[in-house]
């Protein structure tokens, strides 16, 4: 079925709009694929560049929202754990901004898994 455009559009403008619409569909499909792969990797919510070390060699920094998505914990639970010194310490980036090192968050998760496995073996 042929797309109908407003009569005020010329043929070339209609073609440009049609091309833009197909480009948008490609972007949506690509974004959906990226989101699906992030779910598989357990990094849903975190930007793709934030889940790895940056190309310039700088460590990846995560926001509280990213950490919440990675750990599947609520922000309030994370704040409670921070207050009790039970979670990795964040960096203060500004007056109202904190960031976590991706490597430290992932190491904390691995440590929790090791604790769980040690408890299971001792039973």
């Amino acid at each position: 079925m042929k797309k109908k455009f407003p009569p005020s559009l010329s043929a070339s403008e209609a073609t440009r709009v049609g091309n833009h619409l197909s480009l948008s569909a490609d972007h949506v499909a690509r974004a959906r694929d990226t989101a699906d792969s992030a779910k598989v990797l357990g990094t849903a919510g975190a930007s793709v560049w934030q889940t790895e070390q940056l190309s310039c060699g700088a460590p990846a920094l995560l926001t509280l929202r990213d950490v919440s998505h990675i750990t599947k914990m609520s922000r309030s639970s994370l704040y409670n754990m921070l207050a009790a010194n039970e979670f990795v310490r964040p960096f203060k980036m500004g007056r109202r901004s904190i960031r976590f090192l991706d490597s430290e968050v992932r190491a904390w998760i691995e440590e929790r898994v090791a604790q769980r496995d040690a408890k299971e073996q001792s039973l």
Side-chain angles (χ1 to χ4, degrees), residues 31-100:
R32 189 176 302 123
D33 291 342
T34 302
D36 289 342
S37 64
K39 287 178 187 173
V40 170
L41 294 173
T43 58
S47 301
V48 173
W49 67 269
Q50 290 176 321
T51 59
E52 300 174 358
Q53 196 167 24
L54 301 178
S55 60
C56 64
L61 299 175
L62 302 172
T63 64
L64 186 65
R65 179 178 285 176
D66 295 333
V67 173
S68 177
H69 284 288
I70 291 170
T71 61
K72 306 296 188 240
M73 296 171 62
S74 69
R75 288 180 18 202
S76 59
S77 294
L78 289 170
Y79 278 125
N80 290 338
M81 292 181 75
L82 285 169
N85 289 326
E86 297 174 353
F87 196 70
V88 297
R89 293 180 47 97
F91 292 95
K92 190 114 172 114
M93 301 297 285
R95 287 187 355 201
R96 297 179 48 169
S97 176
I98 61 171
R99 296 292 185 268
F100 297 85

Side-chain angles (χ1 to χ4, degrees), residues 115-123:
Q115 288 173 357
R116 179 204 62 193
D117 293 345
K119 283 183 183 179
E120 288 177 358
Q121 288 179 357
S122 67
L123 294 178

